[in-house]
Amino acid sequence: MASAMPNKAMLGEATIVFMVVLSIHASVWDRYSWCTVALAVQAFYVQYKWDRLLQQGAAVFQFRTTANSGLLPASMVIPLLGVVMKKCCESAENVYFERFGIVVAATGMALALFLSILALGITRPVPTNTCVISGMAGSVIIYIMKHSLSVAEVIEVLEVLLIFVYLNMILLYLLPRCFTPGEALLILGGISFALNQLIKRSLNVIQGRGDPVDFFLLVVVVGMVIMGIFFSMFFAFMDSGTWTSSLFFHLMTGVLGLGVIMPWLYHLIRENPLLWLFQFLFQTDTRIYLLIYWSLLAASACIVVMYQNAKRLSSESKKHQASTVTRKYFHFIIVATYVPGLIYDRLLLYVAAVVCLAVFIILEYIRLFRIKPLGQTLRNLLSLFLDERDSGPLILTHIYLLLGMSLPLWLFPRPCAPKGSLGSVGALVPYAGVLAVGVGDTIASIFGSTVGEIHWPGTVKTFEGTMSSIFAQIISVALILIFDSKVDLNSSYAWILGSITIISLLEAYTTQIDNLMLPLYLQILLMA
């Protein structure tokens, strides 16, 4: 009977996603929002069929087994983000970014439809009714987009789709059990879009669109992915734990960094990247104070890791793991990191988050390949903080936390921000990660695990945890209004309360990586 219908957790998650889609549809109300409704309907049916396939262990690639496919919530993120970006930039009369929002929406729909077709193709027996629904939804989307995109924009969408197909074949093979299908759609779709944008801007750099900060993000993301693929393929043929391999890793990291990434960035910004970065970081006294403060917080996080590992060594149980409260301590540290940056210097926080992402990824490569002298040490230190989501070769929880806090800042189109006072609900967009993950998810986990008794149907999450999460986020919004003079909500409190409530319910029902999913959905709602 359980296999005859979707389980309660999936139905709850789907209901919340449809609430978001319909809310955006009511707010935007144009033909593109109709596309997202059609996409959501077909994604719901395909997810149900794909979940059954994953339960049987019959999927082509090895996905994370502790969650459902996540096709519906993941399929809606990029299209909805493009729709609200279009609306935001249309209000600001920025035609370039308005068209960019349409391209983002079309690209997200193309990636989601491709993944749905893939899922239907490998499902046995082939679900005829679901194929019909997907075909109808795809026809509606293609028809509307056909009359909305120029030939150049269609080619751009197809380029991203082609990159996505190749990245899927490479990374899902190299990294088994690291992602659910939905998480792979978000991560690999984002990387594909970044790579396409970087190639496009590199070829058209004379036009001068964008600024060094945006170029820095694109080059770092693409550079880290290229570096990871290169080392994965190389170490597939030799032992990575020897001193010879470790020396090769460090040398090639320097070669790729100084010989590929730096020249590429120089070509885009037309100045020495290291000199630009140094001048940018130490441009004002405020930035110097923030950097010192962040360094102290980073040191405190390292001390916590060392202390917990020392505690494990002194414990009689060899299976000692960090508690939920201990893991959420890092959420409090990252909130203390991001809030001052958002208030005093958002561009500095933008660049510092990119640098931190590069450091995290390089350290993960060192841990994964056991690169001497730190590889084995990092394995021992981080194993204490593993949970069921880190079932693959990579440990991604801390990287997802950084991404969740940073994506609302990275993805918000700054040229489309209202001039002067940010008098709208959109003023809270850069705080979406702080609210959804730093405050909401943290408080929900702590209160749910300590005092929670009433469970939401089909989940282990509790009513008490969700309510405390909503309450904590409301208090946080009030504090932001007090301390950040740039934020003036202009009586849009009902939308904010509704957005926070929906995202807190999604946290209770989703089995995807909440550090990644929740901030993106809250950003979408706040931008609308």
Side-chain angles (χ1 to χ4, degrees):
M1 187 69 181
S3 62
M5 62 179 297
N7 58 45
K8 293 180 180 179
M10 181 198 164
L11 287 175
E13 180 185 58
T15 301
I16 297 164
V17 172
F18 273 105
M19 288 171 61
V20 175
V21 172
L22 293 177
S23 298
I24 300 300
H25 179 65
S27 175
V28 176
W29 198 264
D30 63 13
R31 54 186 175 180
Y32 305 109
S33 54
W34 282 108
C35 289
T36 62
V37 173
L39 184 67
V41 172
Q42 72 89 30
F44 172 74
Y45 282 95
V46 175
Q47 175 173 332
Y48 168 53
K49 300 298 182 181
W50 205 352
D51 283 350
R52 294 178 61 185
L53 184 72
L54 293 178
Q55 290 170 4
Q56 298 166 5
V60 175
F61 295 106
Q62 297 183 56
F63 293 104
R64 189 160 63 87
T65 57
T66 56
N68 60 37
S69 64
L71 184 63
L72 172 60
S75 294
M76 303 315 301
V77 170
I78 302 178
L80 289 177
L81 186 63
V83 168
V84 296
M85 185 183 296
K86 169 188 170 292
K87 178 199 173 187
C88 177
C89 296
E90 184 179 21
S91 302
E93 298 182 351
N94 190 316
V95 178
Y96 174 78
F97 276 93
E98 180 186 345
R99 297 302 306 175
F100 183 71
I102 296 174
V103 172
V104 170
T107 301
M109 293 177 192
L111 298 181
L113 284 174
F114 168 78
L115 200 61
S116 297
I117 293 171
L118 179 66
L120 293 172
I122 63 177
T123 304
R124 294 291 181 270
V126 176
T128 306
N129 294 336
T130 307
C131 289
V132 172
I133 294 172
S134 295
M136 294 173 60
S139 300
V140 170
I141 293 170
I142 292 172
Y143 176 79
I144 292 177
M145 287 302 173
K146 174 187 174 183
H147 294 83
S148 305
L149 301 176
S150 65
V151 175
E153 289 169 340
V154 171
I155 293 174
E156 186 173 351
V157 171
L158 295 177
E159 287 171 351
V160 177
L161 182 59
L162 183 63
I163 296 171
F164 177 76
V165 171
Y166 281 106
L167 282 181
N168 264 277
M169 292 190 294
I170 296 171
L171 292 183
L172 292 182
Y173 173 77
L174 293 175
L175 304 172
R177 305 181 308 281
C178 285
F179 310 102
T180 64
E183 292 161 6
L185 171 62
L186 279 183
I187 298 296
L188 303 184
I191 294 173
S192 303
F193 203 88
L195 177 56
N196 181 70
Q197 284 297 306
L198 183 57
I199 295 172
K200 176 184 173 183
R201 297 186 186 191
S202 298
L203 296 175
N204 300 316
V205 69
I206 299 177
Q207 297 180 8
R209 295 190 184 276
D211 58 44
V213 172
D214 295 319
F215 289 140
F216 185 58
L217 172 63
L218 292 175
V219 171
V220 167
V221 169
V222 174
M224 291 299 103
V225 173
I226 293 174
M227 190 179 296
I229 294 175
F230 173 79
F231 286 125
S232 296
M233 297 177 68
F234 181 81
F235 289 132
F237 300 100
M238 65 179 296
D239 183 9
S240 61
T242 64
W243 276 107
T244 302
S245 299
S246 299
L247 179 61
F248 175 81
F249 175 88
H250 295 302
L251 288 175
M252 287 306 300
T253 300
V255 169
L256 290 172
L258 298 176
V260 178
I261 296 177
M262 290 298 174
W264 202 341
L265 192 54
Y266 175 83
H267 171 70
L268 292 168
I269 68 176
R270 300 300 185 181
E271 60 179 302
N272 188 310
L274 292 178
L275 183 61
W276 167 80
L277 183 60
F278 181 83
Q279 292 175 342
F280 179 88
L281 294 178
F282 299 100
Q283 190 171 19
T284 64
D285 290 340
T286 301
R287 291 186 175 180
I288 295 174
Y289 295 145
L290 282 172
L291 290 173
I292 294 173
Y293 169 66
W294 290 339
S295 299
L296 294 175
L297 288 177
S300 67
C302 294
I303 291 172
V304 171
V305 173
M306 303 293 253
Y307 171 75
Q308 289 296 324
N309 275 274
K311 187 177 177 181
R312 175 175 62 173
L313 292 175
S314 62
S315 174
E316 295 180 359
S317 174
K318 295 182 179 179
K319 295 183 179 180
H320 175 73
Q321 290 294 114
S323 64
T324 299
V325 175
T326 301
R327 280 198 289 264
K328 297 306 177 183
Y329 177 78
F330 296 101
H331 287 229
F332 286 117
I333 289 180
I334 204 164
V335 168
T337 300
Y338 272 70
V339 170
L342 289 169
I343 294 175
Y344 295 110
D345 198 328
R346 293 184 181 179
L347 274 183
L348 175 65
L349 180 62
Y350 186 112
V351 173
V354 175
V355 174
C356 192
L357 176 66
V359 171
F360 275 16
I361 293 176
I362 290 175
L363 289 177
E364 179 56 22
Y365 290 157
I366 292 174
R367 186 208 64 84
L368 174 65
F369 299 122
R370 304 189 308 278
I371 302 300
K372 296 179 182 296
L374 295 177
Q376 192 59 46
T377 302
L378 287 174
R379 285 196 168 210
N380 296 334
L381 290 175
L382 296 179
S383 62
L384 176 66
F385 301 95
L386 297 179
D387 59 19
E388 70 279 356
R389 294 176 297 183
D390 296 309
S391 57
L394 291 181
I395 299 178
L396 296 171
T397 308
H398 59 298
I399 298 177
Y400 283 139
L401 177 59
L402 177 66
L403 286 175
M405 299 291 286
S406 304
L407 283 174
L409 186 64
W410 291 343
L411 298 178
F412 185 70
R414 293 190 305 279
C416 298
K419 302 297 186 290
S421 176
L422 296 180
S424 69
V425 75
L428 278 176
V429 169
Y431 287 94
V434 172
L435 292 172
V437 175
V439 176
D441 180 47
T442 303
I443 297 299
S445 296
I446 293 175
F447 277 79
S449 61
T450 54
V451 301
E453 294 184 358
I454 305 174
H455 292 272
W456 292 105
T459 76
V460 297
K461 304 295 180 66
T462 62
F463 175 81
E464 294 86 351
T466 302
M467 291 300 105
S468 61
S469 170
I470 296 172
F471 185 64
Q473 290 178 77
I474 293 172
I475 294 177
S476 299
V477 171
L479 292 175
I480 291 170
L481 287 172
I482 294 172
F483 290 103
D484 192 344
S485 59
K486 298 187 294 295
V487 178
D488 180 12
L489 301 183
N490 287 348
S491 303
S492 52
Y493 304 107
W495 184 268
I496 293 175
L497 178 60
S499 300
I500 288 174
T501 301
I502 290 174
I503 298 307
S504 299
L505 290 172
L506 182 61
E507 188 275 334
Y509 275 99
T510 187
T511 57
Q512 306 303 296
I513 297 292
D514 46 14
N515 288 349
L516 183 66
M517 196 73 69
L518 301 182
L520 289 171
Y521 267 101
L522 184 57
Q523 175 182 359
I524 288 166
L525 287 168
L526 293 179
M527 285 179 66

